[in-house]
Amino acid sequence: MQQDALIAAPEPTRIKRVARVLIDSSVPHLDRLFDYEVPASMAEHAHPGIRVKVPFGPQQLAGFIIEILDDHPSPMKLRPLAKIVSDQVALYPEVIEAASEVATRYAGTLWDVVRLAVPARAAKVEKEELATTAPTLPQGPNQIERYEHGPEALEAWGTGATLRAVATWVPNMQGFWPGFLMDAARPVLERGRRVLIIVPDARDLKILGDYLDAEYGAEAYARLQADDGPTPRYRNFLRAIGGHVQIVIGTRSAALCHVPDLELMIIWQDGDQSHRELRAPYQHSREVALLRSAQAEVSLLIASPARSVEAQRLVATGWATELKLPRDLLREHTPRVVATTNDFELERDPLLARARIPSVAWREASKALERGPVLVQVARTGFVPAVACQDCRTLARCTQCQGPLHIAGKQSHLACRWCGEQFHDYRCQNCGSPRIRAASIGAERTAEELGLAFPKVSVISSTGAKPVGKISAKPALVVATPGVEPIAEAGYSAVLLLDADRMLAHDSLRNAEEVLSRWFGAACLARSDGVVVLTGNPSPAGASLVRYDPASFAERELAERREVGLPPAVRSAVITGQGAQRLIAALDVPTRARVQIHGPTVIDGPPIEHKYVLFFSYADGPEVTSALRHLRSTMSASKDPLVNIAVDPDNVL
């Protein structure tokens, strides 16, 4: 019987060439490669990494050839490739390997990672002759030599040895932060090798691009950014993957770009939330860089004026070398930081009431305006973004939708931020009082008050809606929200950090870390002979700023989170959706034993969803994320309710 069965079994069909294709689909159970026959007419042009169209059910889908198999046996008849879209190789093996690791780490699908790594095709660009440009490198001292362990880092990067470092950038050394990054890149560029620099957002990319234009020339680098449009972006992509430039810069999607002879990756301000991808699988460019560094033995530099807790963990575990300036040089190049409280009674000081700054800040700003511009950082935009009852301090809410009330401008009435309902005769819903007070002062109101307090000085407002890029060295008051502070030509003579207590009051695991990063981001814009005034009550974050020592705060945060078992001392995952309960119940016993599961909490619908928070060790991370990825794929194939998995999110609480 067994012999008859063996004789009756059909032999597999042998096909001359088979293409293994990654198709354009984010469906979890389709997250694998599919085999297609390569027709003889396409055999010459079918290579790994090119774009193709393939039949899939009743439709045709885009995809990439990942592998070509010659003389491959197949148990079934394969459908042929439908079309070769382009013979330009756009997806390289190292990118596929890195993307696979990212998808595994974040429990996502491979296509979701790849579509971010390779931009959309612009056919006419592939016909262009792209010039190869070598940058003219500046001569002179390298500021990194003055950092502790800086000479060792430069020597390693200059000889091609792999070295990972975390640097706390200090201003007023040799130009602005782009000069620091390029000083790190210089030893690599001098050897003809290549550098990839990732920055948080378009604003930082423009600052870096302007510096490179002036110092290296506009053709010396490739810039990868979605805002540039499909044609310029694809042209720069081809310049980068083709090795036509030695310097590649970009935002988070560029972290997976193929760069030939890549020897150094640089991540600027890794604590910025813009480094987190907003679409599944929600990867962070710092983690992508860490995976690529380990996979391909590429050097890595994480640099920032502040210090993220994740970066501090790399230093604490010995995975990265710390680059910091000695204290004597730190005092020489950083502004003086003054901390103050708001205990002074406002009604006793009319100038204080008008300017909404403490007396110390008032004096420092007055003196600083004689020498140059003064930056005032406020927490929120708008005029009066939040209103409360004068008597019982209850926040004012709309009687129609319970939305927060605000005052949009000087001539505006009290109105709801959600539905727009106006209130000409508002009374507190708690105590009935008609009296209201500002619970929060926005940038526009602050600018108006400062204009009254300093009538002879121009006031400039910079917010997310109306950002200002640069200002001159003339005396001026600049009111800005965090992240959009203009750059002063010669630096600010003073920086006032208002609303400190309000900024620290948000209930979030990472809030203090993020606030301190904003403070250091503003403080680094001050001149070395300037002053930074921090308002509010004493806090560990404020003490770190006064000492100009962000690493000490990150070290403290890391120690506290280790004690209570919170990220980044451990890894985490947030599971949400209608199928969350089913997924958690399906976790096998060995995996469940290694995971702390918190939940479920109910997310109001409709439809009603559930949320779970998972904590697990770094050693168990690959097993846990692989299990989550497999379960979501299984549930997708069974048409169970979909779940959303966010691994290592910025905030789990």
Side-chain angles (χ1 to χ4, degrees):
M1 293 293 294
Q2 292 180 351
Q3 185 177 4
D4 292 340
L6 290 173
I7 294 174
E11 293 186 4
T13 304
R14 303 194 75 84
I15 299 177
K16 191 172 184 181
R17 301 197 82 193
V18 170
R20 312 205 74 185
V21 178
L22 176 67
I23 63 170
D24 179 357
S25 174
S26 297
V27 179
H29 66 275
L30 300 181
D31 184 28
R32 60 184 180 86
L33 302 183
F34 291 85
D35 291 349
Y36 290 88
E37 181 183 355
V38 180
S41 60
M42 300 182 187
E44 184 180 350
H45 300 284
H47 301 288
I50 67 170
R51 303 174 197 261
V52 293
K53 288 287 186 74
V54 296
F56 195 85
Q59 58 183 334
Q60 285 191 359
L61 295 180
F64 288 97
I65 294 179
I66 303 302
E67 186 180 5
I68 294 290
L69 304 175
D70 290 312
D71 197 23
H72 179 66
S74 174
M76 62 185 71
K77 182 174 177 60
L78 299 181
R79 301 175 73 178
L81 296 174
K83 179 183 179 182
I84 292 179
V85 176
S86 169
D87 57 6
Q88 168 68 54
V89 176
L91 187 60
Y92 286 78
E94 67 175 73
V95 177
I96 282 291
E97 185 178 349
S100 298
E101 292 189 15
V102 171
T104 300
R105 179 181 179 85
Y106 287 94
T109 63
L110 181 58
W111 178 261
D112 280 340
V113 181
V114 167
R115 65 182 170 84
L116 296 171
V118 182
R121 177 176 179 250
K124 64 179 182 180
V125 176
E126 294 179 355
K127 302 176 183 178
E128 298 176 357
E129 288 289 336
L130 301 176
T132 300
T133 306
T136 302
L137 302 178
Q139 303 299 316
N142 193 315
Q143 61 184 299
I144 295 180
E145 292 177 349
R146 307 179 73 182
Y147 283 71
E148 293 180 6
H149 304 295
E152 296 95 315
L154 292 175
E155 182 181 358
W157 296 333
T159 59
T162 302
L163 184 140
R164 292 109 179 180
V166 172
T168 301
W169 171 69
V170 175
N172 304 309
M173 292 278 286
Q174 291 172 218
F176 204 39
W177 60 264
F180 176 83
L181 303 189
M182 296 314 299
D183 275 356
R186 199 192 305 177
V188 176
L189 299 175
E190 286 173 348
R191 296 174 46 251
R193 303 298 180 173
R194 293 178 173 81
V195 175
L196 174 60
I197 303 175
I198 309 300
V199 298
D201 52 35
R203 183 175 184 268
D204 288 324
L205 195 64
K206 185 180 187 308
I207 293 172
L208 179 58
D210 289 345
Y211 176 86
L212 293 175
D213 288 344
E215 299 293 330
Y216 294 81
E219 297 301 317
Y221 66 97
R223 182 177 71 178
L224 302 178
Q225 179 189 213
D227 292 347
D228 287 340
T231 299
R233 186 186 183 192
Y234 192 61
R235 181 181 294 114
N236 277 307
F237 174 75
L238 293 184
R239 295 177 70 213
I241 66 175
H244 297 286
V245 292
Q246 287 183 249
I247 306 168
V248 180
I249 66 175
T251 49
R252 58 180 180 260
S253 61
L256 277 168
C257 178
H258 167 73
V259 180
D261 297 323
L262 177 65
E263 284 201 358
L264 176 62
M265 292 185 70
I266 300 176
I267 305 293
W268 172 247
Q269 286 198 323
D270 67 299
D272 193 303
Q273 291 183 354
S274 296
H275 277 295
R276 173 77 62 181
E277 179 57 49
L278 300 179
R279 295 177 290 178
Y282 315 111
Q283 69 266 27
H284 194 289
S285 56
R286 176 190 56 244
E287 304 305 319
V288 175
L290 291 175
L291 290 172
R292 290 193 70 179
S293 177
Q295 165 203 325
E297 288 296 315
V298 174
S299 294
L300 174 65
L301 172 64
I302 299 173
S304 175
R307 175 73 62 84
S308 70
V309 182
E310 283 82 1
Q312 181 61 32
R313 179 182 170 274
L314 298 177
V315 173
T317 57
W319 199 84
T321 300
E322 184 177 23
L323 304 183
K324 64 178 181 179
L325 210 60
R327 292 301 300 181
D328 56 339
L329 290 176
L330 187 70
R331 286 190 293 269
E332 178 184 343
H333 293 285
T334 55
R336 177 170 56 94
V337 182
V338 178
T340 182
T341 60
N342 283 321
D343 293 336
F344 196 83
E345 297 180 7
L346 296 179
E347 58 271 15
R348 295 186 180 181
D349 186 346
L351 293 177
L352 180 63
R354 293 172 65 186
R356 199 172 61 86
I357 54 177
S359 56
V360 173
W362 164 266
R363 290 194 302 269
E364 295 292 351
S366 299
K367 290 187 293 184
L369 283 170
E370 299 175 2
R371 298 180 289 120
V374 172
L375 173 65
V376 182
Q377 186 192 73
V378 297
R380 300 180 64 178
T381 187
F383 192 74
V384 180
V387 178
C389 174
Q390 176 67 35
D391 297 329
C392 69
R393 299 297 195 265
T394 301
L395 286 177
R397 293 282 179 177
C398 175
T399 57
Q400 303 296 322
C401 69
Q402 294 302 307
L405 302 187
H406 75 129
I407 301 175
K410 188 175 181 180
Q411 305 299 326
S412 301
H413 294 287
L414 191 64
C416 177
R417 297 178 66 89
W418 293 357
C419 67
E421 181 74 20
Q422 293 191 356
F423 296 85
H424 300 278
D425 188 21
Y426 178 80
R427 286 185 174 273
C428 175
Q429 297 182 45
N430 183 53
C431 68
S433 172
R435 301 196 302 168
I436 60 173
R437 64 186 296 272
S440 177
I441 301 296
E444 294 177 17
R445 174 67 179 272
T446 303
E448 180 183 287
E449 291 179 344
L450 290 172
L452 295 174
F454 298 93
K456 296 182 180 180
V457 180
S458 62
V459 180
I460 301 170
S461 179
S462 178
T463 63
K466 297 179 180 179
V468 177
K470 294 182 179 180
I471 64 167
S472 68
K474 297 179 180 179
L477 278 163
V478 180
V479 181
T481 49
V484 289
E485 300 90 348
I487 298 172
E489 234 174 56
Y492 289 98
S493 53
V495 174
L496 311 183
L497 304 175
L498 304 185
D499 306 329
D501 291 338
R502 186 169 292 110
M503 294 174 75
L504 289 171
H506 292 287
D507 186 16
S508 167
L509 175 65
R510 295 183 181 271
N511 182 61
E513 176 188 347
E514 293 169 355
V515 169
L516 185 60
S517 178
R518 296 179 196 134
W519 289 347
F520 272 104
C524 72
L525 300 175
R527 304 198 299 243
S528 58
D529 61 347
V531 61
V532 176
V533 180
L534 175 65
T535 67
N537 292 300
S539 66
S544 176
L545 179 64
V546 170
R547 295 193 306 270
Y548 221 93
D549 184 14
S552 65
F553 178 81
E555 187 176 8
R556 173 194 173 109
E557 282 284 301
L558 180 60
E560 289 181 351
R561 295 184 198 178
R562 277 177 177 156
E563 286 185 11
V564 295
L566 289 175
V570 297
R571 295 192 60 194
S572 62
V574 177
I575 317 296
T576 55
Q578 292 178 268
Q581 287 182 309
R582 189 170 301 181
L583 184 144
I584 294 298
L587 274 175
D588 59 36
V589 175
T591 302
R592 288 180 68 91
R594 296 178 174 88
V595 180
Q596 293 184 32
I597 301 176
H598 300 269
T601 57
V602 177
I603 303 175
D604 292 336
I608 294 177
E609 298 182 347
H610 294 88
K611 172 183 175 181
Y612 289 85
V613 178
L614 280 55
F615 295 119
F616 45 93
S617 69
Y618 281 83
D620 294 329
E623 178 183 336
V624 175
T625 57
S626 295
L628 293 175
R629 188 183 185 194
H630 173 72
L631 283 173
R632 190 172 68 163
S633 175
T634 303
M635 292 174 62
S636 172
S638 302
K639 300 186 185 300
D640 289 335
L642 295 178
V643 294
N644 184 68
I645 302 175
V647 176
D648 296 326
D650 289 328
N651 283 302
V652 297
L653 301 177

